[in-house]
Amino acid sequence: MIKSLLNLFGKKEPPLPDYGMLSTDMHSHLIPGVDDGAKEIEDSIELIRNLHELGFRKLYTTPHIMSDYFKNTAENINAGLERVREAIAAEGIDMEIHAGAEYYLDDGFIKKLENEKLLTIGDNYLLFEISYINCPDNVEEVIFRMQVQGYKPILAHPERYPFWYGDFSKYQKLKDIGAVLQVNINSLGGYYGNDARRTAERLIDAGLVDLLGTDCHHLRHIEGLHRTLASPLLKKAIDQNVFNNQL
């Protein structure tokens, strides 16, 4: 068994809490060479092996799709998925893996929404993200348009958008119009900073979190997941049944 990142640094792994819920992850970047996640197939294997050791048995990997940067398509994502499936099968890793996408809300996304069948997770859930700098003026309209097309919109890591930190009512409004909110597990352990951690806690306390995801890109995220397993915030979130393993 390949050592986890903690063991590579000569640290003894703490015993994992017996939450019994770490089985399905719905946000990761594990297909090699298509975005800022895994670079080579060996990276994909290592990340998936570590996720398996953490207790996951089903993964929805979600490569970025951005009009100006990560110009991925269903064709190259699905081809990469098959390559990953073959590689982990050859390594004897018992992991079910599917591919969706993490769409960036830009003009290109609007065109795709109108003209293409988009890559989804589970029962037609559509994962999307927005700019970290400014909230798009049309985010509520686009959520409505996704719903009209039959999709169930999931907003990725809402706790990481600083423009909402001063107005918590924005999160409730997103829920009210039907958006599903997905918090990154590592936000609960402070990986993305104290503001993201505090916002994640407020979202959990308010009962606004629908899903947790690893958003795993690299081994640093695996190390963060090991630390976050000891977080009382994770236990609180799991007690609210936000892993939604039916995906």
Side-chain angles (χ1 to χ4, degrees):
M1 181 180 293
I2 294 179
K3 296 179 180 179
S4 73
L5 187 63
L6 291 180
N7 280 339
L8 288 175
F9 283 119
K11 300 177 182 178
K12 184 177 180 181
E13 290 185 36
L16 301 184
D18 186 20
Y19 291 145
M21 297 294 289
L22 294 177
S23 62
T24 301
D25 181 41
M26 45 70 60
H27 185 174
S28 64
H29 300 266
L30 305 173
I31 294 175
V34 299
D35 63 6
D36 57 346
K39 300 306 179 188
E40 306 292 342
I41 191 65
E42 292 79 12
D43 301 323
S44 305
I45 294 168
E46 180 75 357
L47 292 171
I48 293 169
R49 193 188 301 276
N50 274 274
L51 290 168
H52 186 275
E53 291 176 0
L54 283 166
F56 292 102
R57 295 297 179 266
K58 183 177 181 180
L59 305 174
Y60 288 96
T61 194
T62 50
H64 290 290
I65 295 182
M66 298 178 176
S67 296
D68 296 331
Y69 199 55
F70 298 120
K71 300 180 181 181
N72 289 309
T73 64
E75 289 73 22
N76 82 293
I77 287 173
N78 285 323
L81 173 65
E82 289 307 312
R83 185 180 175 209
V84 171
R85 284 175 170 168
E86 292 172 3
I88 62 174
E91 293 289 324
I93 302 171
D94 183 17
M95 182 73 81
E96 181 180 346
I97 184 167
H98 306 276
E102 183 178 12
Y103 290 92
Y104 184 73
L105 201 164
D106 55 16
D107 290 341
F109 173 71
I110 302 299
K111 293 176 183 176
K112 289 181 174 65
L113 181 62
E114 292 175 345
N115 299 301
E116 300 179 16
K117 180 174 175 56
L118 303 184
L119 291 167
T120 57
I121 300 163
D123 184 20
N124 228 29
Y125 287 94
L126 182 61
L127 184 68
F128 75 102
E129 63 176 338
I130 59 179
S131 167
Y132 289 109
I133 300 171
N134 296 297
C135 179
D137 294 334
N138 63 340
V139 63
E140 294 179 13
E141 176 193 347
V142 176
I143 287 171
F144 174 73
R145 291 170 71 173
M146 291 185 217
Q147 293 166 326
V148 168
Q149 295 288 344
Y151 297 112
K152 301 172 185 177
I154 301 174
L155 177 60
H157 39 67
E159 77 283 2
R160 296 183 61 197
Y161 302 120
F163 42 77
W164 284 331
Y165 290 166
D167 188 358
F168 199 76
S169 67
K170 297 295 186 183
Y171 298 108
Q172 184 64 61
K173 180 64 180 297
L174 291 169
K175 288 285 292 181
D176 290 344
I177 65 174
V180 174
L181 302 186
Q182 176 261 305
V183 162
N184 282 1
I185 296 174
N186 274 334
S187 291
L188 308 181
Y191 183 94
Y192 303 101
N194 287 329
D195 287 334
R197 182 190 57 77
R198 283 191 292 263
T199 302
E201 183 171 18
R202 288 190 68 188
L203 288 168
I204 291 167
D205 287 342
L208 299 179
V209 179
D210 300 286
L211 293 163
L212 292 179
T214 66
D215 199 2
C216 184
H217 288 65
H218 41 65
L219 286 173
R220 294 188 301 280
H221 284 154
I222 296 293
E223 183 184 15
L225 290 170
H226 277 273
R227 290 195 303 267
T228 302
L229 284 175
S231 167
L233 274 182
L234 179 58
K235 184 178 187 307
K236 185 188 295 187
I238 288 175
D239 287 345
Q240 292 184 15
N241 194 32
V242 297
F243 256 102
N244 280 7
N245 290 323
Q246 67 269 24
L247 281 176

